[in-house]
Amino acid sequence: MSPDYPFDDAATARAVISDEGTVTRWNAGAERLLGWTAADVVGRPAARLLVTAAGDSPLPAGTRRDGTVTLRHRDGRTVEVWVLAHRLRPREGEPGHWLVVTPLDPAGPRSPDDPLDAAALVQSPCALALYDERLRLHRMNDAMADLVGLPEERVRGLRLAEIGGNRESEDLERHLVQVLTTGRSLDVHTRLRVSGQSRPRVWLARMAPVTDDDGEVRGVCVTAHDFSDQYQARERLQLVNEASVRIGTTLDVSRTAQELAAVCVPVLADFVSVDLLDPEQYGGEAPGRLVPPVLLRRAAHHSVNPGTPGAVTMPGETQEYPVPSPQAAALLAGQAIVVSAPSGDLERWLSWDERRHEMFKQYGVHSTMAVPLQARGSTLGVAVFHRFRHPDPFTEDDALLAEEITARAAVCIDNARRYSRERETALALQRSLLPRSLPRSAAVSAASRYLPAARSGVGGDWFDVIPLSGLRVALVVGDVVGHGVQASATMGRLRTAVRTLADIDLPPDELLTHLDDLVLRLSEEAGGEGSPGEVGATCLYAVYDPVSRRCTLARAGHPPPVLLPPGGSAHRVHLPSGPPLGVGGLPFESTELEVAEGSVLAFYTDGLIESRERDVDAGHRMLCEALEADADSLDETCDHVLHTLLPPGGAADDVALLLARAKGLPASQVATWDIPADPSLVAPIRKQVVDQLAAWSLSDATFTAELVVSELVTNAIRYGAPPIRLRLIHDDTTLICEVSDTNHSAPHLRRAKTWDEGGRGLLLVAQLTQRWGSRHLTEGKTIWAELALLEEPEAGDAAE
């Protein structure tokens, strides 16, 4: 018998059998049932007590079994008894065993006047009521009478709706009718204020049909269970789950703070405000230690009252909070702080701000809770919860719940801040690497736009307009795979490489080949030893010549440009796509096309035409239609294109757009001479150049141009190979001298010694011109030099 059990242990026959089938314990009840003493059976096989076939195990399978077995009595007779067997979990280091029990009933059948049977209904702690076939109260116990607040004899015969006298009682009565008519049990949750309680509580009403011997429903039994604690726990768990879904849907700090405030109203509080520390006040980082007064910026608030009329501080405004304030108190303590009106602490908290004090009185705020927002070891701000419509003050459980929700929100806010900081850094880097303004050119007039992605952040899209020799211009657009600072940095390296390669006048296909090699090297650097990185890009490179009005293009996996000829329809330019940059080992092909003066070429990245709502072909059609719309300028056309193709919330990927309207250089501004390979003819050539400049009204440039032409032509005759050609080109600001020959060797500057008779020609050209250089052609090379023309004075300046 257990030492904690003070009653007769012989009322139950109990034995303990080991896993090996040996009896290890035998109580007085077992001796009373079978006559065997403990000395007779302990340590012996339990199978000897069973009337079973030889070899059968006396132990059941599983962890619990019950049934009737036949046992041997000591006097030789057999005894049939019902037994219950439990598999007991063994303690560490001990073998397992079974507990086998059966009840003994020495008192015989119960008396019909048993006082326990009579008290079973009345004195049960479970509130219970019994309604008859008419759903009139037939019986209820003392616990139910205490809930109702009326004795049974006073309300017997009344309906539930008549006893309760409220809407909730009517709803419960409708469920009683359902149980009575269907004969099926029903569980109903309801919120009721019972006798002796000032506020309603949540109750679980369990309704079951009462049947007679024939199975006919004769009434309904109702039990009431106070379910407030379980309901509140479930409500809290639901709030936590809802917070994990609703908070942090975007990487926007203000939106995340608003989601935190909204998810807590009205379940947890009637008014919630979220105030954040301003990182700019602490050098861009969260402070390690706060010193009062604390400067906070209101990020969001939410109230049960529409329009949030009780707010003193508006979103975006900053305010200093001294030590008595809940905001400063929670931030300095580093934990949640709860105060209520009855304790007097709320008055002390509000003493620092008279306006806020009056607002609290007006709305009847009786309980306040301040919880710091902390994430990754940093304090980000504080969330303050107020109750004025909710009757209960905040409890410790409320504080734990608020801390869990704010902890989740703080991580989301920190993620949003980190993302915003990185996005701003990447955007600043991107802006610094993109051209701030497009250069003026005699070849094209251009306009551009760059928009970062609305959600994924800044990417590696770029564009450029690069002036080339001979008044030509290079138009570039590219897209680096990925987003963020790394993509922007890679974009900067590629843009610099393109400008460098363009400066040596490589054809588009050769330029893309060199750029492909660079991306391969960047991938190797990004991946480290043994594994390549994931650097990749696409690019479209075009060179337009206003003299010939021809454009040479090549692309590396980039969308083709769109051409809008004057008075015509916009269409895609068909040219070989080429592999993306970084694949390596594959060739690129150039395409040359004639471009009429006034034509518009549209270069763009895939973020402009790709969308989840439409396919790429539909995007191309929309782009062509937008380009065809009448616009006063290319800038207006850019805005119209973006407005037409991009959704109101912004594109999913970053977008670069470059529009270029082709200009043509009249033949009257170009002069060409075929030069015989005879040094004695240089003087007549100079004379022809002087005459041509006079015809162009460029006499101011005659002296310099004559010297440059003389040096370049002389070098071509001396070191080049015929045929030799001289070409002069001019626009409003520049005069260009070009000398071509079929020798592929490039000229270079050298420092002539004092007594050297030659070697100073190119040095003289470099000093006299704005810039000079050479470009290689299929049939040789061209040496060129640019001279800046003096601008014509304004009429007012001339008068002076």
Side-chain angles (χ1 to χ4, degrees):
M1 184 173 67
S2 170
D4 298 328
Y5 187 74
F7 307 106
D8 181 14
D9 192 41
T12 300
R14 183 171 63 253
V16 178
I17 303 173
S18 67
D19 285 342
E20 289 76 17
T22 302
V23 179
T24 59
R25 292 186 184 179
W26 188 264
N27 78 334
E31 180 180 350
R32 178 181 170 190
L33 176 65
L34 297 180
W36 302 97
T37 65
D40 296 330
V41 296
V42 172
R44 293 180 172 80
R48 297 176 53 190
L49 302 175
L50 288 173
V51 182
T52 57
D56 288 353
S57 171
L59 300 177
T63 59
R64 170 178 152 172
R65 293 293 298 273
D66 68 275
T68 302
V69 296
T70 303
L71 302 176
R72 288 192 178 90
H73 197 276
R74 185 173 186 178
D75 59 10
R77 59 189 173 87
T78 59
V79 180
E80 285 192 359
V81 294
W82 177 88
V83 296
L84 175 63
H86 298 279
R87 176 72 167 83
L88 300 182
R89 184 181 303 172
R91 296 180 180 178
E92 187 177 355
E94 296 183 359
H97 53 275
W98 289 81
L99 172 65
V100 183
V101 296
T102 185
L104 303 178
D105 191 11
R110 296 194 305 272
S111 168
D113 299 329
D114 192 333
L116 292 178
D117 290 342
L121 172 66
V122 178
Q123 299 182 19
S124 170
C126 177
L128 183 146
L130 186 63
Y131 291 85
D132 59 19
E133 295 172 303
R134 300 177 300 163
L135 294 183
R136 300 283 178 175
L137 180 64
H138 180 72
R139 289 290 306 274
M140 69 178 180
N141 64 358
D142 294 344
M144 183 65 80
D146 291 340
L147 294 181
V148 174
L150 296 169
E152 178 190 355
E153 58 270 15
R154 295 292 187 185
V155 295
R156 187 183 296 122
L158 295 179
R159 293 166 41 207
L160 177 57
E162 296 169 340
I163 298 173
N166 51 43
R167 186 176 301 173
E168 290 79 9
S169 299
E170 295 176 358
D171 292 339
L172 289 174
E173 189 172 77
R174 282 193 289 271
H175 290 102
L176 288 178
V177 174
Q178 182 179 346
V179 174
L180 185 68
T181 55
T182 62
R184 292 194 294 268
S185 300
L186 191 64
D187 289 349
V188 180
H189 288 94
T190 186
R191 188 183 293 270
L192 285 171
R193 183 171 63 246
V194 298
S195 177
Q197 294 183 351
S198 59
R199 288 186 289 271
R201 297 181 65 82
V202 179
W203 296 88
L204 170 63
R206 313 201 73 170
M207 306 176 183
V210 178
T211 59
D212 57 17
D213 295 340
D214 297 329
E216 295 291 330
V217 178
R218 296 299 183 185
V220 179
C221 178
V222 181
T223 59
H225 308 271
D226 189 347
F227 206 68
S228 299
D229 293 340
Q230 295 90 329
Y231 181 82
Q232 194 173 39
R234 187 170 63 183
E235 197 174 48
R236 294 174 186 276
L237 180 60
Q238 184 178 354
L239 179 59
V240 172
N241 292 335
E242 188 176 358
S244 64
V245 173
R246 290 176 54 186
I247 298 175
T249 58
T250 66
L251 288 171
D252 182 81
V253 174
S254 299
R255 177 76 176 273
T256 304
Q258 187 62 50
E259 289 167 347
L260 167 61
V263 80
C264 295
V265 175
V267 180
L268 184 59
D270 300 315
F271 180 89
V272 177
S273 63
V274 181
D275 298 283
L276 301 178
L277 294 166
D278 195 345
E280 296 181 1
Q281 299 292 327
Y282 303 94
E285 296 292 337
R289 181 174 176 271
L290 292 172
V291 178
V294 182
L295 181 66
L296 296 174
R297 184 181 299 275
R298 175 63 52 88
H301 53 223
H302 197 74
S303 173
V304 291
N305 297 320
T308 322
V312 177
T313 305
M314 294 296 107
E317 296 180 355
T318 58
Q319 186 171 2
E320 285 189 345
Y321 294 89
V323 174
S325 65
Q327 289 85 349
L331 289 173
L332 296 176
Q335 62 184 12
I337 295 179
V338 178
V339 296
S340 58
S343 66
D345 292 335
L346 189 57
E347 289 288 331
R348 180 177 58 83
W349 266 20
L350 298 173
S351 61
W352 68 280
D353 191 337
E354 185 63 29
R355 183 185 173 195
R356 190 174 266 102
H357 193 184
E358 292 299 324
M359 191 69 71
F360 273 46
K361 283 186 176 181
Q362 177 183 344
Y363 285 92
V365 176
H366 61 85
S367 188
T368 296
M369 174 173 58
V371 183
L373 295 169
Q374 298 172 327
R376 301 183 176 97
S378 299
T379 301
L380 307 179
V382 61
V384 182
F385 304 78
H386 305 287
R387 281 182 177 177
F388 48 86
R389 187 177 297 177
H390 196 296
D392 297 325
F394 288 112
T395 63
E396 291 184 3
D397 290 339
D398 292 326
L400 292 175
L401 176 62
E403 285 179 338
E404 182 170 357
I405 295 174
T406 53
R408 293 170 180 257
V411 172
C412 296
I413 290 174
D414 189 48
N415 290 340
R417 274 190 170 174
R418 289 169 182 260
Y419 166 78
S420 298
R421 189 183 306 122
E422 180 178 345
R423 187 173 188 271
E424 290 171 1
T425 303
L427 185 57
L429 177 62
Q430 181 89 333
R431 298 290 189 194
S432 67
L433 295 175
L434 290 175
R436 298 188 178 183
S437 61
L438 299 180
R440 294 178 58 188
S441 169
V444 296
S445 56
S448 62
R449 294 291 186 273
Y450 172 76
L451 291 178
R455 296 178 179 83
S456 55
V458 179
D461 290 13
W462 92 92
F463 59 89
D464 210 345
V465 176
I466 308 171
L468 301 178
S469 62
L471 295 182
R472 296 170 306 130
V473 66
L475 304 169
V476 193
V477 65
D479 184 1
V480 174
V481 175
H483 294 88
V485 175
Q486 186 61 45
S488 297
T490 302
M491 177 275 290
R493 299 177 73 174
L494 294 184
R495 178 172 178 255
T496 302
V498 169
R499 293 188 72 90
T500 302
L501 295 171
D503 194 50
I504 59 176
D505 259 319
L506 289 179
D509 53 342
E510 292 185 24
L511 183 143
L512 292 180
T513 300
H514 286 279
L515 202 61
D516 184 47
D517 294 337
L518 172 63
V519 174
L520 283 174
R521 291 195 296 272
L522 293 178
S523 296
E524 294 174 357
E525 294 175 5
E529 297 182 1
S531 61
E534 297 182 357
V535 178
T538 63
C539 183
L540 171 61
Y541 184 80
V543 176
Y544 173 67
D545 187 345
V547 176
S548 63
R549 295 179 176 83
R550 300 193 67 81
C551 185
T552 306
L553 310 93
R555 62 183 178 129
H558 201 84
V562 172
L563 175 63
L564 174 63
S569 300
H571 60 276
R572 277 182 285 182
V573 177
H574 297 286
L575 66 156
S577 63
L581 299 175
V583 174
L586 297 176
F588 299 95
E589 298 180 49
S590 294
T591 298
E592 187 175 77
L593 67 152
E594 188 170 347
V595 179
E597 184 176 1
S599 298
V600 175
L601 279 165
F603 302 84
Y604 52 90
T605 53
D606 54 6
L608 180 67
I609 59 173
E610 293 182 358
S611 172
R612 294 181 180 178
E613 287 74 27
R614 62 174 184 268
D615 56 27
V616 176
D617 290 336
H620 274 119
R621 287 194 298 271
M622 294 176 64
L623 173 59
C624 292
E625 293 171 0
L627 289 173
E628 293 170 0
D630 292 334
D632 294 335
S633 66
L634 288 180
D635 281 311
E636 290 186 8
T637 303
C638 283
D639 294 335
H640 179 66
V641 168
L642 297 180
H643 178 75
T644 302
L645 275 80
L646 301 184
D653 194 6
D654 50 341
V655 173
L657 174 64
L658 175 63
L659 300 183
R661 177 175 282 116
K663 300 178 183 179
L665 199 66
S668 60
Q669 294 179 227
V670 181
T672 306
W673 294 271
D674 291 325
I675 309 298
D678 185 355
S680 64
L681 298 178
V682 173
I685 294 298
R686 289 201 304 265
K687 179 65 171 62
Q688 295 178 42
V689 168
V690 171
D691 293 341
Q692 183 63 59
L693 293 178
W696 284 342
S697 300
L698 300 178
S699 299
D700 290 340
T702 300
F703 178 75
T704 305
E706 189 177 2
L707 287 177
V708 170
V709 168
S710 177
E711 292 297 335
L712 294 183
V713 170
T714 301
N715 273 354
I717 294 174
R718 181 176 298 177
Y719 303 110
I724 302 170
R725 176 172 295 179
L726 167 65
R727 186 170 73 161
L728 297 182
I729 309 170
H730 83 90
D731 64 357
D732 295 338
T733 61
T734 308
L735 173 65
I736 301 173
C737 304
E738 295 183 347
V739 177
S740 304
D741 68 85
T742 57
N743 191 335
H744 289 275
S745 61
H748 60 277
L749 289 173
R750 67 184 181 89
R751 184 177 297 277
K753 296 180 181 180
T754 304
W755 305 109
D756 287 348
E757 296 183 359
R760 297 177 178 84
L762 288 181
L763 182 61
L764 182 63
V765 170
Q767 296 298 317
L768 293 175
T769 60
Q770 185 172 265
R771 63 178 187 143
W772 76 280
S774 65
R775 64 176 181 268
H776 289 272
L777 307 174
T778 305
E779 62 278 4
K781 68 178 181 298
T782 296
I783 311 300
W784 55 268
E786 292 183 1
L787 287 76
L789 298 177
L790 296 177
E791 296 185 4
E792 292 294 332
E794 299 291 340
D797 296 337
E800 292 178 3

